[in-house]
Amino acid sequence: MSLKEAIRAGHLADFSYRNAWLDIDFDQISSTAGDYNGADLREALERAGVIRATVEGMEKFAVDRKSLVFTFTIAQAEETARLLTLRGIPAKAISCNTPADERKQILVNFKHGVLSAIASCGVLTEGFDEPSANCAVIARPTKSKLLYQQMVGRVLRLFPGKKDALVLDFVGAGTRNVPVSVASLVGVTPIQGETSLEAEVRTEKEKTEKGLPGNAVADAMLAAALKAKRERQAFDELWIELRRTPKSVRSAKVVSG
């Protein structure tokens, strides 16, 4: 099952999409082992002010979300977390240099809302499962579809009250050596603020208006996706807060069977 099929079937949350421009010509960055050359990409990101752009983008679009920020270098992760905290978005950085006990506490604090963001360099891209996370900030362009899907997938887990996730991506110029984008995951490119489902409905409508032939499989998937979305929203509305929570439990919700 593809990521798109899992979203349409209601097994994963849909995502809305935003992008922020970086002054990078990806055609000028060399490749090594199928992805961007590390030294070239690091220099290009620093020159384009990726840290400033990340912080400003999150202040504008993700201030009320639980965000996983994926960075290319440890220094980028640490400085991003520092500036986010100064701007009122509590954040910590995680990398291979983070001691195990400190890493564990950071993840606990993120789970319970003490932290609003984690800036991760090469740590949380796979195997990490925190369903309440609802924003992926892709501050490290890549040509690897697998890596990109892993980063986005970290915030698509279903969670009570999660209407959608947000993918905040950083794009630049280039026609031959472009990074992977959401289009490679769901087949359409959402416009700013649009969910992947809304983008697909819009695209199919535009095709119909142009008189292009329809796609029976796509139509069936769209119908099923819309039905799953309505059912998930109805289910979320059934959850209620408990008046009294057990000791050591921060908060709890319950839904009738």
Side-chain angles (χ1 to χ4, degrees), residues 2-208:
S2 69
L3 188 72
K4 173 183 173 179
E5 290 170 333
I7 292 173
R8 296 295 178 262
H11 301 309
L12 295 175
D14 198 0
F15 61 87
S16 56
Y17 178 70
R18 295 279 182 181
N19 64 45
W21 175 261
L22 289 178
D23 187 15
I24 295 178
D25 183 353
F26 290 106
D27 289 343
Q28 302 302 313
I29 300 178
S30 61
S31 298
T32 302
D35 208 341
Y36 294 115
N37 176 271
D40 288 354
L41 182 58
R42 181 177 64 250
E43 182 180 344
L45 289 172
E46 290 175 354
R47 189 168 55 246
V50 67
I51 296 174
R52 173 190 52 77
T54 300
V55 173
E56 290 178 355
M58 291 180 66
E59 281 185 311
K60 187 173 182 180
F61 300 117
V63 71
D64 58 344
R65 289 183 179 262
K66 292 180 71 172
S67 304
L68 297 175
V69 186
F70 297 98
T71 69
F72 188 62
T73 67
I74 295 174
Q76 181 189 350
E78 292 175 343
E79 183 63 7
T80 299
R82 187 184 74 83
L83 291 180
L84 284 172
T85 302
L86 287 177
R87 299 287 187 92
I89 303 175
K92 287 286 186 181
I94 280 185
S95 70
C96 59
N97 292 342
T98 309
D101 289 346
E102 182 180 345
R103 180 185 300 187
K104 182 178 180 180
Q105 188 60 54
I106 288 173
L107 298 182
V108 168
N109 288 344
F110 182 69
K111 179 181 184 68
H112 293 298
V114 178
L115 294 175
S116 298
I118 297 178
S120 168
C121 177
V123 175
L124 304 181
T125 50
E126 59 182 275
F128 175 63
D129 184 33
E130 177 47 60
S132 63
N134 61 0
C135 177
V137 182
I138 314 298
R140 55 136 309 143
T142 180
K143 293 168 67 178
S144 169
K145 180 179 177 180
L146 176 60
L147 175 58
Y148 190 90
Q149 180 169 298
Q150 287 173 331
M151 291 187 287
V152 172
R154 299 282 70 77
V155 300
L156 300 186
R157 302 290 195 270
L158 298 180
F159 189 75
K162 181 192 283 190
K163 295 182 179 180
D164 63 28
L166 170 66
V167 175
L168 177 57
D169 206 354
F170 290 84
V171 300
T175 56
R176 304 184 311 275
N177 197 21
V178 295
V180 177
S181 69
V182 295
S184 67
L185 303 184
V186 293
V188 291
T189 301
I191 59 178
Q192 298 282 45
E194 194 176 46
T195 68
S196 76
L197 178 57
E198 290 169 344
E200 191 166 12
V201 171
R202 172 180 52 79
T203 302
E204 290 301 314
K205 181 180 178 182
E206 290 171 353
K207 286 182 180 179
T208 301

